[in-house]
Amino acid sequence: MNQQIITRTDDQTRYLGQRLGQAVTGPLALALTGDLGCGKTTFVKGLARGLGVNKGYHITSPTFTIINEYPAERGLRLCHLDLYRLGSVEELACIGYEDILETDAVVVVEWPDLLKEDRFSFDLELAFAYDADYNRVISFFACGQTGKNVLCRMFS
Amino acid sequence: MIVLGIESSCDETAAALVKNHNHILSSVIASQVDVHKQYGGVVPELASRMHIEAITPVVEQAVDQAGISMNDIQGVAATRGPGLIGALLVGFCFAKAFAWARGLPLAGVNHLEAHIHSLFLTAPAPAFPFICLVVSGGHTNIYHVQSENQFERMGQTRDDAAGEAFDKVSKMLDLGYPGGPVIEALAGTRNPDQIRFPRSLLEKDSFDFSFSGLKSAVARYIHENSVTSMADKGRVAAAFQAAVIDVLCEKLLGAARSKNCRHIGVSGGVSANQTFVAALTRRAGRKNIQVIAPPVSLCGDNAAMVAARGAVMIRDGQICGLDHDVYSRVLH
């Protein structure tokens, strides 16, 4: 099941993320792809709201910290990763990502290529791009039943 | 009192010895040391497990360079957060063990407060109360600093940190990492007004920052225009840098005005950007406000600032127990 949504403003991108967050019922792994400035972090801000992360947390870019974690509702945690600065699968092991992925977490990974090389399987992949008018084109790809179920709830 | 400081919040393993809160005896940063030669393998700065390999030699080297013995150390300070949990744990647990084994007081230092304290290692230090910007790859925070222990956060970034924006624009221009020094060098003395990028000032009464829109505007400009020669890239670099500097200056001067402060301090990696410090100094000078930036060696992550902050905490009885843990971020 695939879906494509076009958002015209940051607020729309955020709202789309929030809808996804509201559709989540358990642990989930999301891959976000797309160039710098395409709205990935903006989307995660909305996702955090949808997951019930306390508004006291500013959802900031994890590029520098690599992993940002936030307690969420439904017994979940939001782990926001950005692998942009990592150079190899070995470095990935060094940040202890296996420990993170084992627990009840909604894991969102920007620049996920290293994890894919490591044969990690995501439940959902979201591709962010611009169209000619600089709207954001956000494509959802479900890979597996968990991902399909979330998309069904989100777009039903 | 001589305090051992340890910093491992991100990708530098650092140790320093500081005497009487503000006198640096030594300051060692792993990326400057040939630790990997001694250990027969490369030490990727990023990886937290690599901090483990670096920490002992870095501390030994700091003690050596200070010309003291381990027995002269009277207190231990280590960064407790915010930062990368795995990385923080290495330095903080090392410090706990060191302090416990030797019966020394331990301070668990907030990394951002340590950056503020780097200004007290600078001569002349700013006078209280002052406004302080901590600006780096991971943070862009404005504080109202009322004493050595009172830091009121007035604003922070809502998306990307300023240093991160430099890194990302550098990446878009194929200029490499880290972006700050490359962009500043390429911008050089070029006229920044040939391209006009947006300045996101958010709400008038807010001291928060947002650099994500600027990043998108640069991406869009590069997409729509041919930016291939170094001259083209230089124009983009100069215009981008000017936009960041404008926003930082505007918010800092606004904060100084609202709190009636005569001094502004800047610290963190981006405060090594001389174009920024010069522009801020010029604009603040018109309002009779003095700007203080630490020497470049204290701008990026270092342990001297951690020792300086920790020394004050120990003096004032803010001691950590063995049951204290690290934290990745602070709830706003």
Side-chain angles (χ1 to χ4, degrees):
Chain A
M1 179 183 171
N2 300 328
Q3 280 278 347
Q4 194 171 71
I5 303 284
I6 293 175
T7 62
R8 293 183 167 75
T9 62
D10 276 8
D11 280 347
Q12 288 181 2
T13 305
R14 238 189 307 271
Y15 179 63
L16 191 66
Q18 187 171 338
R19 278 174 59 196
L20 176 61
Q22 286 162 345
V24 171
T25 54
L28 191 74
L30 299 170
L32 308 191
T33 59
D35 278 339
L36 291 168
C38 266
K40 297 187 293 295
T41 302
T42 303
F43 182 89
V44 178
K45 282 175 190 277
L47 178 72
R49 290 294 93 83
L51 288 168
V53 171
N54 186 316
K55 281 187 180 164
Y57 285 105
H58 282 279
I59 311 298
T60 52
S61 162
T63 303
F64 190 73
T65 48
I66 303 166
I67 302 175
N68 287 342
E69 288 184 57
Y70 310 90
E73 289 173 349
R74 284 159 260 164
L76 296 168
R77 292 175 307 121
L78 171 63
C79 295
H80 185 191
L81 281 80
D82 185 334
L83 308 185
Y84 186 80
R85 295 204 303 147
L86 298 191
S88 69
V89 176
E90 288 70 39
E91 284 187 334
L92 201 54
C94 285
I95 64 168
Y97 82 103
E98 284 151 327
D99 304 335
I100 295 160
L101 303 183
E102 271 173 11
T103 49
D104 279 350
V106 174
V107 181
V108 186
V109 184
E110 300 189 29
W111 304 95
D113 297 344
L114 278 181
L115 267 178
K116 286 194 197 164
E117 282 169 29
D118 205 30
R119 303 188 177 197
F120 180 82
S121 62
F122 287 97
D123 300 307
L124 278 178
E125 293 196 30
L126 278 63
F128 289 70
Y130 296 118
D131 69 10
D133 298 321
Y134 288 94
N135 298 316
R136 268 56 172 180
V137 182
I138 303 169
S139 309
F140 293 74
F141 306 95
C143 0
Q145 197 56 47
T146 309
K148 280 181 196 161
N149 291 346
V150 170
L151 282 195
C152 281
R153 278 192 295 276
M154 181 180 174
F155 291 108
S156 62
Chain B
M1 183 171 66
I2 294 177
V3 171
L4 168 67
I6 291 171
E7 156 65 28
S8 69
S9 65
C10 197
D11 48 13
E12 314 273 29
T13 321
L17 287 146
V18 167
K19 192 175 180 180
N20 302 334
H21 321 140
N22 57 12
H23 177 61
I24 302 175
L25 299 176
S26 67
S27 178
V28 178
I29 300 173
S31 49
Q32 298 170 358
V33 189
D34 280 345
V35 172
H36 58 271
K37 274 192 190 156
Q38 298 169 26
Y39 282 79
V42 177
V43 183
E45 290 179 8
L46 197 59
S48 57
R49 283 176 206 172
M50 301 305 172
H51 280 300
I52 294 173
E53 289 183 28
I55 185 105
T56 305
V58 164
V59 169
E60 283 171 349
Q61 194 161 349
V63 171
D64 268 4
Q65 283 185 11
I68 61 165
S69 89
M70 292 280 182
N71 294 329
D72 297 323
I73 298 172
Q74 292 157 295
V76 186
T79 307
R80 195 175 160 201
L84 205 54
I85 288 290
L88 286 164
L89 274 172
V90 177
F92 194 63
C93 290
F94 182 97
K96 267 189 194 174
F98 192 97
W100 178 76
R102 292 177 167 267
L104 299 175
L106 170 70
V109 172
N110 176 305
H111 183 72
L112 297 156
E113 294 176 5
H115 271 299
I116 295 171
H117 270 253
S118 69
L119 291 163
F120 306 134
L121 296 167
T122 308
F128 298 113
F130 64 93
I131 297 298
C132 186
L133 173 73
V134 179
V135 59
S136 65
H139 306 279
T140 310
N141 292 6
I142 292 186
Y143 294 88
H144 180 218
V145 184
Q146 287 146 294
S147 76
E148 284 170 304
N149 289 311
Q150 282 174 289
F151 321 93
E152 177 205 351
R153 200 189 50 232
M154 299 173 68
Q156 70 260 307
T157 183
R158 293 187 189 168
D159 39 57
D160 295 2
E164 177 179 352
F166 271 93
D167 285 339
K168 289 187 172 171
V169 166
S170 173
K171 170 89 177 173
M172 291 177 203
L173 293 171
D174 275 328
L175 296 174
Y177 177 89
V182 195
I183 295 221
E184 186 183 10
L186 194 61
T189 53
R190 280 193 174 82
N191 175 9
D193 299 327
Q194 288 179 289
I195 310 166
R196 178 77 187 175
F197 288 126
R199 273 78 171 150
S200 174
L201 293 170
L202 302 169
E203 307 82 26
K204 211 175 160 74
D205 55 348
S206 166
F207 298 108
D208 282 353
F209 296 97
S210 168
F211 292 107
S212 152
L214 172 61
K215 178 182 71 185
S216 297
V218 174
R220 184 170 175 164
Y221 181 89
I222 294 171
H223 189 70
E224 286 176 352
N225 297 272
S226 148
V227 179
T228 46
S229 69
M230 283 319 256
D232 293 337
K233 292 180 181 184
R235 274 190 288 277
V236 173
F240 159 76
Q241 179 175 261
V244 175
I245 290 174
D246 258 4
V247 172
L248 294 177
C249 289
E250 192 69 31
K251 291 291 180 189
L252 276 172
L253 292 171
R257 189 167 54 239
S258 85
K259 296 290 185 186
N260 213 2
C261 291
R262 309 314 308 167
H263 286 94
I264 294 175
V266 292
S267 60
V270 178
S271 59
N273 184 309
Q274 298 304 309
T275 314
F276 162 53
V277 176
L280 179 63
T281 304
R282 201 167 51 241
R283 289 176 60 170
R286 288 189 214 129
K287 314 232 180 255
N288 248 335
I289 294 170
Q290 199 185 331
V291 172
I292 290 130
V296 171
S297 60
L298 293 178
C299 287
D301 288 348
N302 65 84
M305 66 183 193
V306 177
R309 173 69 188 121
V312 170
M313 291 172 78
I314 291 169
R315 181 197 69 194
D316 297 343
Q318 301 174 44
I319 307 291
C320 247
L322 289 178
D323 53 341
H324 283 72
D325 211 346
V326 298
Y327 54 87
S328 65
R329 51 202 288 121
V330 185
L331 182 61
H332 297 150

